[in-house]
Amino acid sequence: MSEPSSSFPQQTVSDKTLRRKTLFAFVFFIVFLAGAWATFKWVNRQPKEGGALKPLRKTLNANERLFSAMFDANKLVKEYPVSAAAKRVRVNGMDGLRDSVNEETWRLHVVRSSGDTLHLTINDIKKLPKKDLVFDFKCIEGWDQVTHWAGVPLKTFMQYYHLNGQSKMKYVGLQTPDKKYYVGIDMPSALHAQTLLCYEMNGKPLPANQGFPLRLIIPVKYGIKHLKRIGTMFFSNDKPADFWAERGYDYYAGH
Ligand SMILES: Nc1nc2c(c(=O)[nH]1)N[C@H]1C(S)=C(S)[C@@H](COP(=O)(O)O)O[C@H]1N2
Ligand SMILES: [Mo]
């Protein structure tokens, strides 16, 4: 009888070759595991830099250079109709919001340079051109929600107060009045057309736990950068201190 015909040529592998190949694959696997383990141990033995182990912080910094190089200041984040906005808006993160706040005594302190600070009331900010914005708010923890905000674009605010020299610096720093939450924002993202000094949510003044009387809304960044209850704003060519970056997160936090 003849062999069954097949359109594929068949090859028989001898037991010896099979054993050799199996042994080789096994050795390769062990060497790979040992390498991965050694790398893991090495990374963990490295000193910390800015809240993250040094090699990991270096990776975050490299990502930051790549993302800022790719950042297109003219590209807008997708906007939604007001009807798409959540009525019940999630509250996340209460750092810097534990004290009570009073609209009459609250001021936005804008440090133009050391020893030269503007002290603005909420009405100073409300009289500037208002912009409504409905976008998909993204938190680094993995949730997102389409929400509706309004305020003055930070860029308009800076032009109105003649902060031209300041807008040529590399970073904006923001702090809560008690200085317990703080963020640093790169200037191109701060001056993006959708970045707002925000005082309204769903057409009403911000609730206390969402940053009353004034918060940052910066759609090109993850939630960690949307500082609630701004007390002080300053400008710097060095990276301002950043609450979550100090705890190992990405400083840039763009998406
Ligand atoms: N002052 C202050 N602002 C903050 C935080 C915080 O803890 N304190 N948390 C941030 C984080 S992680 C997120 S996701 C958003 C959440 O904003 P929301 O509470 O209005 O949803 O606020 C950001 N701003
Ligand atoms: Mo977040």
Side-chain angles (χ1 to χ4, degrees), residues 77-78 80 133-137 145-147 149 217 219 226:
V77 167
K78 183 177 175 178
Y80 295 78
L133 184 69
V134 183
F135 79 106
D136 193 10
F137 189 110
Q145 193 178 36
V146 174
T147 42
W149 311 89
I217 285 292
H226 298 229

Side-chain angles (χ1 to χ4, degrees), residues 92-93 137-143 181 222-225 244:
N92 205 48
F137 189 110
K138 294 188 174 80
C139 170
I140 226 153
E141 290 169 0
W143 57 267
Y181 196 81
Y222 278 107
I224 45 176
K225 295 288 185 181
W244 283 112

